[in-house]
Structures are given as C-alpha cells and as structure tokens.
Amino acid sequence: MEHPRSSDRASVRERYDRRVSATGGDPLARLARWIRPGSTVLDVGSAAGALGCLLGSMQRCVVDGVEWDIEAAIAARPWYRQLLVADLDLSSLDELFCPGRYDCVVCADVLEHLRDPSLQLRSMHRLLAAGGRVLVSAPNATYAPLVAELLGGRL
C-alpha cells in the first residue's frame, strides 16, 4: 500500500472526500443504519471522516478512528473523539485502542488493502463491549465505477 505523495493534495481530497446521506444507498450510509444511536464506534479506515460526521451528527455516537493517510486524518479530525494515524499492516488495533470499549467496529472497504486482514479481525473482536459487533463492507469487483477505476489504475 503506497502513501499518496504530499504534493498530490487534489488527488487525496478527491479520493477521500465524500458526502454521505443517512438515507442514501452509499455503503457507508447502509452500514450507519446498522448502528444504534448513542453507540461508541471505532471507524477503521476513517478516510476524511464521512462516517464519523454522519454518526456523530445524526446518531449522536461517540466515534474514534484510525487512518493511515495523514492528510485524510487531518480532514477527518473534527468528527472524532480520538483519531490515530497508523499502518494496520504494522500495528494491531487492540494495541492502539482499549479492549472492550466499542459497541461497534466498522471496517468499510479497508480489509482488502491489508496483507493479512485476519489479524485485524481477531483484534477487533477484543475491542468490542458485551453484545458489540463488527460491521464490514468490501467493494464489489463487478461494480462498473470500480472496474473503471481499476482500468484507470486508480485503486
């Protein structure tokens, strides 16, 4: 996984800056609807904070996050109680965050970027409070816009 060049600010914004409506069909909006209002949530792969913004403003959740790209994390920071910058191929989530703290851990379109996603999935389990759950989404490789990005070398 390569970090975007610092000088390429426009492409970082373009890649990570998205708006999510609570009632929309976007995968983040669909995941958000599974989360109870007032929950404590860990957003794995926060990007520019779209999920944190939605959960905090619409559902009054307390949201922590982790993001590997520092520029995206800076953009996301206002929406998170705690936001760490870390490479999840080098760090374990349960080393970064307190065990048993979260009602929900959200991993939206992140696992496919990790060398060994099973390590992070096991650590997510340890972060959950009693009755907590992990919500995961992965991109649909047959979705036309994704195929276009792949063909253009932009994934």
Side-chain angles (χ1 to χ4, degrees):
M1 181 170 10
E2 291 182 30
H3 282 277
R5 292 187 316 269
S6 296
S7 62
D8 196 9
R9 294 183 195 282
S11 68
V12 170
R13 262 194 310 277
E14 182 180 291
R15 182 175 45 228
Y16 291 127
D17 192 22
R18 53 197 280 201
R19 304 289 182 254
V20 180
S21 163
T23 58
D26 181 276
L28 285 181
R30 291 194 311 250
L31 285 172
R33 289 193 287 270
W34 284 87
I35 299 170
R36 291 186 283 287
S39 294
T40 302
V41 178
L42 176 59
D43 181 8
V44 178
S46 303
L51 184 62
C53 175
L54 178 64
L55 292 175
S57 61
M58 302 291 288
Q59 293 183 238
R60 304 293 180 235
C61 293
V62 174
V63 186
D64 293 339
V66 60
E67 170 58 39
W68 72 277
D69 183 275
I70 193 162
E71 290 182 27
I74 290 167
R77 182 65 191 103
W79 306 110
Y80 294 82
R81 171 180 66 183
Q82 176 184 16
L83 182 62
L84 303 180
V85 175
D87 182 338
L88 295 180
D89 282 324
L90 303 175
S91 303
S92 176
L93 287 168
D94 60 351
E95 295 169 352
L96 299 171
F97 296 95
C98 295
R101 183 179 205 177
Y102 298 99
D103 300 310
C104 189
V105 176
V106 178
C107 200
D109 295 3
V110 171
L111 293 176
E112 69 276 8
H113 298 281
L114 300 177
R115 284 187 211 124
D116 187 356
S118 66
L119 294 174
Q120 295 302 342
L121 285 167
R122 281 191 295 277
S123 72
M124 287 176 203
H125 177 75
R126 292 186 285 275
L127 297 175
L128 294 173
R133 56 186 165 177
V134 174
L135 299 178
V136 175
S137 70
N140 177 351
T142 63
Y143 180 59
L146 177 62
V147 172
E149 284 186 24
L150 288 169
L151 291 173
R154 294 183 311 186
L155 184 64

